[in-house]
Amino acid sequence: MTQLTNAKNNILTDEMRLVAEAEKLSPETVCTLIREGRAVIPANNRKKRALKFCGIGAQMKTKVNANIGTSQDYCNVDDELEKTRVAIEAGADAIMDLSTYGDIREIRKRIIAESSVPVGTVPIYEAVLLKRPSNEHRSVLETLTETDLFDTILKHAQDGVDFITVHCGVTHAIIKHVQSNPRTGGIVSRGGTILGEWMKLHQKENPLYEKFDRVIEIAREYDLTLSLGDGLRPGAIADSFDYAQIEELKILAQLAERARLADVQVMIEGPGHVPLHQVQAQVLLQKSLCKGAPFYVLGPVVTDVAPGYDHITSAIGGAVAASAGADMLCYVTPMEHLGLPQAEHVREGVIASRIAAHAGDIAKGIESAIEWDRKFSLSRKNRDWDAMIANALDPQKPAAFRKMRKPQKESVCSMCGQLCVYALANGEKVL
Amino acid sequence: MTQLTNAKNNILTDEMRLVAEAEKLSPETVCTLIREGRAVIPANNRKKRALKFCGIGAQMKTKVNANIGTSQDYCNVDDELEKTRVAIEAGADAIMDLSTYGDIREIRKRIIAESSVPVGTVPIYEAVLLKRPSNEHRSVLETLTETDLFDTILKHAQDGVDFITVHCGVTHAIIKHVQSNPRTGGIVSRGGTILGEWMKLHQKENPLYEKFDRVIEIAREYDLTLSLGDGLRPGAIADSFDYAQIEELKILAQLAERARLADVQVMIEGPGHVPLHQVQAQVLLQKSLCKGAPFYVLGPVVTDVAPGYDHITSAIGGAVAASAGADMLCYVTPMEHLGLPQAEHVREGVIASRIAAHAGDIAKGIESAIEWDRKFSLSRKNRDWDAMIANALDPQKPAAFRKMRKPQKESVCSMCGQLCVYALANGEKVL
């Protein structure tokens, strides 16, 4: 039984009740949103461990996902467990283990055991990694089979993964189109690139597209939420809203419909690199084409030229996307486009993304978000520094900054001193 | 003679030609924009020193201003000169010296001598500071006279200041309105608060409003660009677009018209704290009411609750404001709301604000901005790391990050390693 099966039968599950409480909605509303495919609760039904459930979709607070995981260059499970803790402590609502090196299954199991929030994965990374050791004489892409892909997905479901990215919309036809119509940034999704190269080599259709029913079958059994990946997402500002992106989105909309009919929870992944004036349109198009399916965007970053600051470029795009209706933001760390992030970059990425999500929530009209700011500003007017620090989106930084630049007079700050507007307006004889 | 006098007479000045070159516009276009009051070139006509001129307005790149200056708690001229250098090196287009302590005139002169970009000030800070030492028995607000205000403005003009913030729109009527209709965040502009408290104490109208012709007279003589300050800007998300803010904006629009008629260059200052869904409307309203006058916004920050990260909250608001037509962004540093920034915070603030301005410029359709991203993405696809670092918005950070997380294989990065999409798509046998 999946959450969607229950919703279709008007059965209120514990997960729905907990999400309803967190979102200040009625359980009935949550149930309706899930039934309509406008919200999901990623929660693998075989997982024993208590989970902080995460509702993603309409009327709910915008969520933040943090990607962690090993790479060929930095492959240490303890580092990734540390990043998991840091991300969750900083307020991430979900974690994706994108490990691409080492004993991926073991790493995944340990991250799932560590995480109090839902865990997502991209199974194809493991599928290609497993082919490597025994086949040095042939390339991985040559030896990789359809069966490998489905077997890996099944394994992830069995391990308790809550949601998976599957690039089911990368069709042979789109890949051919991109070959004859080169993009500025090319194809930047790793999963999309692997499938694209595999299809070109074998001259076959994408198995995840052609045999989507097999994906659905596994997902339904474990209530594994499908996150339909945008393998053709723009990876350069110049490629946003191009034919390949939109053709794939159209296919994802059709696949989402099939998933929902089969009681499988589904969300849609979105870009990527998008110029600021197109961000709202990206969300509106997805929402319309995909009939309100939750939209999970990566950034979007609003310029290509600021590596080292992509937590900021993506906070800009993410805030606008959220305000337009995006439901979950995949964080981007300052290390994006440059290397594998360390724990400190994970933290910065989560905070920046939470700022974007919160700015979006105010714009979405979410009462608790609006109230947070109102109360906070009253503390500011009252110069209640303890309350400001305690209730800040991240208390650590303002606490450290205030210590770093202490004022002589504790009631004000060292920016304005005797010109503190609140002291002046309060009739204190500071001038 | 001011730039505006010349523009009205269709005389192309050196300043117009240099700005035209920088903006890839014709000098005639720049002249027309100035004549129409849709652009300004802040450049005090008594200043001897060569200046990097800065065009602010329609069809031009969005500019970034960095505030520096001493405070009661941290008053060291060398620190402020260092911040001036750091801000300009990081790419600030203008500097405002907001010193509120020490020998303000001397500090101002040294900053003007140090700066290769236009320098702005807020004269009222000096006016109140100068009253302090000899009048300990009475408050500064009691002894401060109308003459003090105008004398200080004249002194700033004589010292070579290029633009000044004057809170001419803070009228007695609006102050009374705010008294009987308290705001969540109150009045957060220092100049606006000083004038408001002065008016309440003396039961008089704002001299800068009542005797605006005297402000105009000084400004015209020195071609001092007026930046009409928004003393009633919202300082809390809950106060955005309230009666006080809009009533003041209406007055600023009238004063701007009077300034232009008198050949005085003028721009309008804008908020402040604004929820994301109102940012565009803020800009559209100002542009319409003020007949296209350049709009110089402070942030806007899109949430109150993230002190320590207001370079990010303001990059979000600033990018959206720029894309809607704002012409100059006043940076906000991570130290905002907490204390006086140090040089490192100045640098972070300028970079974040430049990211916002550039994202806005892409949305505005500025060709050079769009081309920068396109070329940058080609370098990325070609994995030309040297070009990426050299052409990054800030080269320092990506250079440091790439060193910090080195890949074994120089051609890729340590995030993806063997899964590098560009290597895969290039047919390199990485898998």
Side-chain angles (χ1 to χ4, degrees), chain B residues 234-305:
Chain B
I237 292 296
D239 296 333
S240 176
F241 264 164
D242 71 354
Y243 173 87
Q245 190 212 333
I246 302 315
E247 183 63 13
E248 182 189 41
L249 181 61
K250 202 188 72 188
I251 294 167
L252 296 184
Q254 295 161 350
L255 299 179
E257 189 64 26
R258 284 168 61 188
R260 282 188 295 238
L261 282 171
D263 292 3
V264 168
Q265 299 192 91
V266 63
M267 52 187 176
I268 308 288
E269 292 187 10
H273 291 233
V274 178
L276 189 49
H277 59 292
Q278 290 181 2
V279 174
Q280 186 188 32
Q282 288 271 5
V283 179
L284 298 180
L285 176 62
Q286 181 277 341
K287 284 287 173 188
S288 184
L289 266 182
C290 303
K291 300 188 178 165
F295 199 27
Y296 169 29
V297 297
L298 173 53
V301 305
V302 292
T303 173
D304 306 330
V305 304

Side-chain angles (χ1 to χ4, degrees), chain A residues 165-193:
Chain A
T165 296
V166 270
H167 301 91
C168 304
V170 182
T171 62
H172 204 183
I174 304 179
I175 292 297
K176 276 192 212 160
H177 173 87
V178 175
Q179 270 188 290
S180 44
N181 299 272
R183 289 172 137 189
T184 299
I187 301 176
V188 299
S189 149
R190 297 188 293 203
T193 301

